């Protein structure tokens, strides 16, 4: 009875999470005004506790979405449901002022399982980039000495619904492919604060996208060594632009210039070492954004680079059963983002600590991590963001496939 | 069964045999609650006051103000203005060089009074006509003032649509039945003006005492008495006064007494009877003023260029400034713009309000080629547009009325054609238009009447 109800409710959660993730605002950052917005990075599963590290890690008790080849590490008996939430406090500093914002939202939802022998499958919805800003300014009224208050607002972003499979090509060599559908919209509004007019610009994107990953593990006596590679060929998104202007007495759809949005090529390499209760990995990833021009006068693009490091320790406690494992994680990330604003490259750094606690038996795990970091610079009137972020990732497990096998 | 052993994911099957249903339930509900919480917290963000990042924005829009569109001014004298059944009597005259001479005369009817039979021994004492100040006045109320009351020679008859106008008039006896010379006290609305009409009162008393046929029924009484008119008793009055014109404030009182063992005093009250047949005749004489030519001009309209750049408003006679916009059509030469706000700014002639207080509330009326009044100009919610009045008592520099006429302009622009004939009258509120002779002199040259248009370009 309870199981039936639980399955129905789970299905409901899946549907809701998918819809909600697609609509959730993940960012409140003035920098998200540029380009495709703020990149979500590797935020699914435990990677947020590991500084986004994961190219060479295989999925295990939790899903690793960084490399599609990692699905090959999934346990054969379980179906994993992963839901991620975050709460973030950010203080924004310029040389002269200081403001702060608080955000909280759902991040992603994934499900993964082993579908057939030698094949690990995962699907879900994860964010790719997001836009969220509201900037209040004043602007001169042409032909007068007075000013009016103007508000710039942006929201939306690009999400990724993916279905990925990892094949074990030969012993310990996994090839993974994610087939994704990228979709989303970025809405920008420019309005007089007293509501006299608003100018809206909506860009809707969609396209299919493939990205690939390899993972190879060399087993040693005590230590295992892994190498992972990820690659995506980039893609031009199908874009639909709509603009409109609204005043108290009129509304008009405007003709817009066709804009082009593209996902850049990316290439990443990761190395990992692991033994029974410990693993460590490093990632290097590059995205070739310099080929993409957003036609925003204040910004240029460059190729972005991510360096990250992740450590994980598993404490088995007294029992050797997986039920009581407690994980301790540490991560660090340094990213040179694709943005160069007013000649200032924008980079991101963070460190994170996390723990994974078994809850309620049946291998359910709640992963909690805390991330401290900063983004941007105070030079040339730009903004430095210092943030504190709490990630809660819930990994629910069900034994759908086990039942079939055992009963 | 596939057995994959990754890092520390070495499942041995035993795990699943543990019966931990209770824990599982609790965990499941915990997750569900968390999920619901997040669902209701779709975007917990407090970005409303955020101003950082203003250097990042690239404006697609600009707000532009222009006040260079020409505004045509003229003064229109309406053919007539309804002045009956207003409950207000205007009496007096005033003259100056700006508006010429204005003369107000009030017409009214009285009804047959109810009275008990008058004894043979009754002796007539006196008769007084009573008027109550309404509180309204125009002109110099410190000067000696004269008001007369005359009897009509013909009955007041309504025109076909049941009203009477400022230009309506009826013949009355040249000789007054009474008149009064006084210093007005108009500011106190409960004060009363008494005019003695003793001689006329005696005639009426005799009719009542003798049960004359003329006082035997209301109709016969009305045929006999016709009505009365209050006139400016003197050609050279310096003010117009307002009185309440209704049965409880406008009446004659005939006093008599009867002497038996003691002296008993009696009163007969003859009251204003018909609210609808009470009206004010308001005459103007623009001779020697800038408006002198208006009566002879087509449509009784004088362009501001012919009246020293000024235009004029006077209630009661229907003198209204007309505003038109001859060049707004040029707006359509611009590309990618939307009107946001249209403000009309009117400045009174600088020295025109030393003696006369400026109307605190000015309204705009919609008018057309035929100078018909087609109702108030209204704002977006349908309420009449009222001018925002600024009185610069100190320097007289910044006194102005500002009207938000955005709906008028945007409606007129909506069909991509601006109709020049669709104009605006400036006036006081409708009731005051009919019951006062308030005035306003609008400056047309320096500073001129301005139309401030705010629009957005994109």
């Amino acid at each position: 009875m309870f199981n039936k109800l639980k399955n129905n409710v789970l299905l409901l959660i899946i549907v809701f999470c998918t819809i909600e993730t697609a609509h959730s605002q993940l960012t409140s950052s003035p920098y998200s005004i540029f380009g495709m917005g703020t990149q979500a990075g590797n935020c699914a599963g435990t990677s947020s506790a590991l500084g986004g590290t994961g190219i060479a890690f295989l999925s295990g008790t939790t899903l690793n979405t960084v490399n599609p080849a990692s699905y090959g590490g999934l346990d054969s008996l379980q179906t994993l449901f992963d839901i991620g939430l975050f709460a973030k406090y950010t203080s924004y500093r310029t040389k002269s002022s200081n403001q702060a914002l608080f955000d909280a939202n759902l991040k992603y939802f994934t499900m993964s399982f082993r579908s057939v022998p030698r094949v690990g499958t995962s699907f879900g919805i994860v964010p790719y980039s997001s836009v969220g800003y509201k900037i209040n300014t004043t602007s001169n009224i042409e032909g007068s000495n007075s000013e009016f208050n103007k508000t710039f607002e942006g929201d939306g972003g690009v999400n990724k619904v993916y279905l990925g499979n990892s094949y074990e090509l030969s012993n310990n060599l996994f090839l993974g492919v994610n087939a994704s559908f990228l979709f989303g919209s970025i809405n920008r509004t420019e309005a007089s604060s007293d509501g006299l007019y608003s100018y809206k610009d909506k860009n809707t994107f969609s396209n299919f996208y493939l990205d690939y990953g390899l993972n190879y593990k060399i087993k040693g006596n005590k230590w295992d060594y892994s190498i992972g590679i990820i690659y995506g060929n980039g893609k031009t998104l199908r874009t639909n632009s709509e603009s409109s202007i609204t005043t108290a007495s009129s509304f008009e759809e405007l003709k817009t210039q066709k804009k082009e949005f593209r996902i850049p090529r990316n290439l990443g390499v990761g190395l990992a070492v692991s033994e029974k209760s410990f693993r460590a990995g490093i990632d290097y990833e590059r995205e070739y954004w310099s080929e993409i021009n957003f036609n925003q006068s204040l910004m240029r693009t460059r190729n972005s680079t991510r360096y990250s490091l992740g450590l994980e320790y598993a404490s088995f406690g007294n029992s050797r059963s997986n039920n009581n494992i407690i994980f301790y994680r540490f991560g660090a990330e340094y990213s040179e983002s694709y943005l160069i604003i007013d000649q200032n490259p924008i980079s991101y750094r963070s460190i994170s600590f996390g723990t994974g606690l078994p809850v309620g038996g049946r291998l359910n795990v709640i992963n909690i991590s805390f991330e401290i970091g900063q983004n941007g610079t105070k030079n040339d009137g730009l903004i430095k963001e210092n943030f504190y972020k709490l990630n809660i990732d819930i990994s629910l497990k069900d034994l759908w496939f086990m039942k079939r096998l055992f009963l | 069964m596939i057995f994959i052993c990754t890092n520390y994911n070495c499942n041995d099957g035993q795990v699943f045999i543990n019966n931990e249903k209770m824990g599982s339930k609790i965990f499941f509900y915990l997750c569900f609650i968390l999920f619901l919480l997040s669902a209701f917290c779709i975007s917990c963000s407090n970005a409303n006051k955020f101003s950082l990042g203003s250097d990042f924005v690239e404006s697609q829009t600009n707000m532009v103000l222009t006040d260079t569109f020409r505004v045509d001014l003229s003064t229109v004298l309406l053919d007539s203005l309804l002045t009956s059944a207003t409950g207000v009597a205007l009496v007096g005259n005033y003259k100056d060089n700006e508006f010429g001479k204005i003369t107000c005369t009030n017409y009214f009817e009285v009804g047959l009074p109810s009275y008990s039979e008058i004894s043979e021994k009754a002796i007539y004492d006196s008769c007084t006509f009573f008027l109550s100040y309404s509180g309204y006045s125009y002109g110099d109320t410190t000067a000696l003032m004269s008001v007369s009351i005359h009897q009509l020679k013909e009955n007041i008859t309504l025109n076909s649509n049941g009203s009477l106008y400022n230009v309506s008039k009826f013949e009355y006896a040249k000789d007054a039945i009474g008149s009064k010379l006084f210093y007005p006290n108009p500011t106190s609305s409960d004060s009363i003006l008494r005019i003695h009409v003793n001689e006329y009162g005696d005639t009426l008393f005799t009719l009542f005492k003798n049960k004359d046929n003329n006082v035997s029924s209301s109709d016969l009484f009305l045929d006999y008495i016709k009505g009365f008119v209050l006139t400016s008793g003197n050609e050279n009055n310096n003010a117009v006064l307002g009185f309440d014109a209704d049965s409880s404030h406008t009446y004659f009182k005939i006093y008599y007494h009867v002497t038996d063992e003691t002296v008993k005093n009696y009163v007969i009250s003859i009251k204003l009877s018909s609210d609808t047949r009470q009206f004010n005749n308001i005459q103007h004489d623009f001779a020697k003023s800038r408006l002198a030519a208006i009566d002879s001009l087509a449509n009784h309209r004088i362009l501001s260029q012919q009246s020293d750049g000024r235009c004029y408003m006077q209630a009661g006679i229907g003198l209204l400034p007309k505003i038109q916009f001859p060049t707004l059509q040029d707006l359509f030469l611009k590309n990618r713009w939307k009107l946001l706000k249209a403000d009309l700014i009117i400045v009174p002639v600088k020295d025109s309000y030393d003696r006369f207080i400026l109307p605190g509330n000015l309204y705009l009326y919609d008018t057309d080629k035929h100078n018909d009044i087609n109702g108030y100009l209204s704002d977006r919610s349908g309420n009449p547009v009222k001018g925002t009045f600024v009185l610069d008592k100190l320097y007289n520099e910044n006194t102005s009325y500002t009207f938000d006429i955005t709906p008028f302009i945007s409606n007129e622009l909506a069909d991509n054609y601006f109709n020049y004939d669709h104009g605006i009258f400036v006036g006081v509120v409708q009731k005051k238009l009919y019951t006062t002779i308030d005035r306003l002199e609008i400056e047309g040259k320096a500073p001129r009447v301005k139309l401030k248009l705010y629009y957005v370009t994109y």
Side-chain angles (χ1 to χ4, degrees), chain A residues 198 245-252, chain B residues 337-339 380 410 458:
Chain A
S198 72
I245 183 127
T246 312
T247 68
S249 59
S250 68
F251 170 80
E252 191 185 331
Chain B
W337 62 274
K338 286 274 177 291
L339 179 72
R380 232 176 278 293
S410 57
Y458 44 88

Side-chain angles (χ1 to χ4, degrees), chain A residues 75-76 105 190 197 252 312, chain B residues 2 8 11 42 50 61 338:
Chain A
D75 177 31
S76 56
N105 221 318
E190 183 178 332
Y197 76 88
E252 191 185 331
E312 183 176 67
Chain B
I2 312 296
Y8 28 74
N11 301 320
I42 283 180
F50 207 78
T61 62
K338 286 274 177 291

Side-chain angles (χ1 to χ4, degrees), chain B residues 206-241:
Chain B
T206 311
L207 291 179
F208 292 125
K209 192 176 174 186
N210 298 342
K211 293 174 194 159
D212 190 283
N213 193 41
N214 284 327
V215 295
S216 61
S217 79
S218 296
D219 290 347
L220 289 171
F221 182 68
L222 192 58
D223 272 349
Y224 167 77
I225 208 155
K226 314 286 188 204
F228 296 93
V229 57
L230 285 164
T231 65
S232 191
N234 182 333
E235 283 290 295
N236 300 313
N237 275 331
N238 260 323
V240 172
L241 298 175

